[in-house]
Amino acid sequence: MSGSYTYRIGNGFDIHPLADGDGITLGGVLIPFHKRLVGHSDADVLVHAIMDALLGAAGLPDIGVLFPNTDPKYKGASSMHLLEEVMRSIEGAGFTVENLDTVLLAEAPKISPFRDLMKEQISQKLKIKSDAVGIKATTMEKLGSIGRGEGIAASATVLLKKAI
Ligand code: MG
């Protein structure tokens, strides 16, 4: 029988507005679209929700504290690069990732053609198998700001594991 473990769950949520543009980055994947996500970094709303879920589970400060949007250092920053930094903090606190599940709330574009690549990219950063990463997408049935196509939101739930 191997040692005992403690498990910690975390959740994260984020939303970014859309504006005229030529593509959005979601889960580290550039998706062709007639709009872009507006934000201080690359505005990868899915990765932002994932980072806050990881940090919350580990009891660490959230991304607003770690990567303030007033810091010019993070202007246009790659969220996948920030995710690497977050993973170093998680591992530094003694945790590994068990699994991740996410929901994207978007009226458009269609996510399914890009889902496998997103899972691949994110699972590599989290050092888990791609089947331990869930990416679900739903529309808002045209209700509210997301339903009108004014923005995209994401929520993420993660389970961390630590030997005790
Ligand atoms: Mg954000």
Side-chain angles (χ1 to χ4, degrees):
M1 178 101 179
S2 54
S4 304
Y5 296 96
T6 185
Y7 292 88
R8 298 277 291 270
I9 197 166
N11 86 87
F13 178 83
D14 196 25
I15 182 167
H16 280 267
L18 287 161
D20 288 343
D22 58 2
I24 60 178
T25 300
L26 285 178
V29 177
L30 183 60
I31 298 175
F33 195 43
H34 63 282
K35 293 182 179 180
R36 66 188 169 89
L37 282 165
V38 181
H40 187 67
S41 66
D42 64 4
D44 188 330
V45 65
L46 178 60
V47 174
H48 291 186
I50 292 168
M51 289 193 286
D52 267 348
L54 289 165
L55 292 164
L60 294 169
D62 68 25
I63 57 171
V65 175
L66 292 182
F67 313 120
N69 63 10
T70 49
D71 188 337
K73 183 176 159 191
Y74 300 114
K75 183 153 176 53
S78 157
S79 297
M80 290 300 268
H81 180 75
L82 301 181
L83 179 58
E84 285 176 16
E85 280 191 43
V86 166
M87 278 304 296
R88 279 195 286 275
S89 300
I90 298 301
E91 289 167 340
F95 290 101
T96 56
V97 180
E98 192 70 8
N99 75 302
L100 166 76
D101 195 21
T102 65
V103 184
L104 270 166
L105 308 170
E107 214 60 29
K110 273 254 173 288
I111 303 300
S112 51
F114 307 96
R115 189 195 320 264
D116 285 350
L117 188 52
M118 285 184 202
K119 286 173 62 152
E120 194 58 46
Q121 305 259 24
I122 293 165
S123 64
Q124 278 175 20
K125 298 291 183 204
L126 268 48
K127 301 174 185 174
I128 53 180
K129 291 184 177 165
S130 66
D131 67 5
V133 172
I135 298 177
K136 304 179 297 299
T138 183
T139 72
M140 293 291 282
E141 300 287 349
K142 304 208 182 310
L143 293 168
S145 55
I146 293 172
R148 290 189 296 271
E150 296 169 7
I152 292 179
S155 81
T157 304
V158 70
L159 190 67
L160 300 186
K161 179 180 177 181
K162 182 183 189 172
I164 50 172

